[in-house]
Amino acid sequence: MEQILVTGALGQIGSELVPALRERYGAERVVAADLRMPPAGAPGEGGPFEHLDCTHLRDIQEVVGRYGVNTIYHLAGILSAVGEERPQVAWHVNMGGLYRVLEVAREHRCALFFPSSIGAFGPTTPRHHTPQESVQRPTTIYGVAKVAGELLCDYYTQRFGVDTRGLRLPGIISHVAPPGGGTTDYAVDLFYQALRHRHYTCFLGPDTCLDMMYMPDAVRAIIELMEADPARLRHRNAFNVTAMSFTPAQLADEVRKHLPDFAIDYQVDPVRQAIADSWPDSLDDTAARAEWGWAPAFDLPAMTRDMLSKLRATMPS
Ligand code: NAD
Ligand code: AKB
């Protein structure tokens, strides 16, 4: 039986992964943990919660031992834009946290999910249809930690037999919890501002093309990978996955089909623009499709329709 720990559970992905895991495996079998305390009514309420700093080895050991955890979804981390503001903290949390979680996974024979990112690639990587195996020389501390994390997970599998699995996720678009300080956050903010003010000022330039995915696909990809037959997995850490690629101008055009008076303008933030310019605009996800049957359900029009309808239902008008 699965007994699961999710670190960083109150973040953008955890807020939707935890309820999905609880639905699938039972609420009591999924321990949500975060450095922050959950606000009342937080998504994922209705099961155990632990206040846990993923850089504290003893605390992770204690929680894993107490609940008999056998699978860890390690989502705790610092995203790309915040990482460039505080690179030392980003390294400490992203690398230090992963190392400690891997050590606990080794000691307690846990399986581990590690979310890598399109940020694991850099300006010398082929930008279009980036292959599964490609140049990985990122120029952000976030990307450096993601590449090192992919390698460290591989090492723990080869050296200690820990069942580590990972995805190189694109920018995730969602409507439950806000994004946590990444470069792709504009693609979420734009929806909120479009509904509130019919106007959005974008921090990336109009033609900046990036790889993106809607949260229901991301949650399904994570669960499907963790349930996949290990004998079929050649690329454990980390699989390229993709669903759609677009620019801010293309997203604005799609939103305008539903809100004709929506307007966008641009005030480019040089730090986030430089990060975006160093990332691929689309990943080749052939390996994920072949090895565990990955296929996205949402493209740009379907995601836009669903985002607007879900946000309309929850946002005060
Ligand atoms: P997020 O910033 O929304 O959430 C991260 C959570 O980690 C937060 O709730 C935060 O409180 C928690 N946290 C931070 N430091 C911690 C610590 N020391 N100990 C315990 N918890 C801590 O991030 P997210 O978007 O949910 O991303 C989760 C993971 O997925 C990250 O590793 C991220 O790099 C990766 N990822 C996210 C995206 C995306 O678009 N959201 C894309 C690719 C990869
Ligand atoms: C970020 O922009 O930092 C994340 C990511 C793509 O890894 N959303």
Side-chain angles (χ1 to χ4, degrees):
M1 289 295 277
E2 292 289 320
Q3 192 67 38
I4 292 168
L5 171 66
V6 181
T7 70
L10 297 179
Q12 187 192 9
I13 297 179
S15 295
E16 299 198 48
L17 181 65
V18 167
L21 292 171
R22 286 189 171 152
E23 174 82 28
R24 197 164 181 83
Y25 301 113
E28 292 307 312
R29 297 197 167 275
V30 180
V31 182
D34 204 290
L35 190 59
R36 296 182 280 156
M37 291 304 284
E45 265 194 345
F49 178 87
E50 292 289 331
H51 180 250
L52 185 65
D53 185 334
C54 72
T55 64
H56 291 178
L57 182 70
R58 291 245 168 84
D59 294 349
I60 311 167
Q61 285 168 327
E62 194 277 320
V63 168
V64 165
R66 179 153 46 90
Y67 286 93
V69 167
N70 57 22
T71 304
I72 304 174
Y73 292 77
H74 179 49
L75 304 182
I78 305 286
L79 271 72
S80 57
V82 176
E84 286 315 295
E85 280 166 23
R86 303 161 71 203
Q88 295 82 359
V89 175
W91 179 259
H92 177 64
V93 173
N94 292 1
M95 220 43 232
L98 175 64
Y99 169 66
R100 286 165 181 80
V101 168
L102 276 165
E103 271 297 284
V104 176
R106 178 182 66 77
E107 288 165 2
H108 290 258
R109 310 302 302 162
C110 299
L112 177 85
F113 172 76
F114 169 64
S116 187
S117 161
I118 51 173
F121 296 113
T124 52
T125 306
R127 199 172 163 77
H128 311 296
H129 303 293
T130 306
Q132 175 67 40
E133 323 272 7
S134 192
V135 180
Q136 290 190 269
R137 306 291 291 177
T139 47
T140 60
I141 193 69
Y142 179 71
V144 171
K146 288 299 186 195
V147 177
E150 290 181 12
L151 293 172
L152 195 60
C153 287
D154 279 347
Y155 180 79
Y156 269 71
T157 297
Q158 288 152 16
R159 178 75 172 76
F160 302 119
V162 178
D163 182 359
T164 61
R165 305 180 186 195
L167 298 173
R168 291 186 187 125
L169 291 168
I172 307 297
I173 300 162
S174 69
H175 53 82
V176 173
T183 304
T184 57
D185 293 13
Y186 90 83
V188 179
D189 300 342
L190 184 147
F191 282 98
Y192 284 85
Q193 299 308 320
L195 283 171
R196 281 193 190 117
H197 307 298
R198 299 292 191 272
H199 177 261
Y200 181 63
T201 300
C202 186
F203 58 75
L204 296 182
D207 302 321
T208 310
C209 191
L210 288 168
D211 219 349
M212 300 279 181
M213 183 179 288
Y214 195 32
M215 185 66 88
D217 275 336
V219 166
R220 191 168 51 78
I222 293 169
I223 294 174
E224 284 179 5
L225 173 64
M226 291 307 282
E227 290 185 349
D229 174 2
R232 288 183 63 198
L233 301 182
R234 242 177 21 88
H235 300 90
R236 287 177 157 272
N237 303 292
F239 284 95
N240 283 3
V241 281
T242 185
M244 62 190 96
S245 290
F246 56 75
T247 66
Q250 287 166 334
L251 179 59
D253 286 345
E254 196 59 41
V255 168
R256 221 174 276 118
K257 291 180 186 166
H258 304 265
L259 303 171
D261 54 344
F262 172 63
I264 186 166
D265 59 17
Y266 300 91
Q267 267 177 34
V268 170
D269 167 17
V271 174
R272 285 179 285 187
Q273 185 67 51
I275 297 174
D277 289 342
S278 76
W279 286 356
D281 63 18
S282 58
L283 299 188
D284 176 347
D285 60 1
T286 308
R289 288 174 185 268
E291 292 177 39
W292 48 278
W294 160 245
F298 287 88
D299 59 8
L300 174 59
M303 176 275 291
T304 303
R305 227 178 5 255
D306 201 64
M307 273 294 281
L308 289 172
S309 102
K310 293 285 174 9
L311 283 175
R312 275 190 176 117
T314 53
M315 278 171 68
S317 51

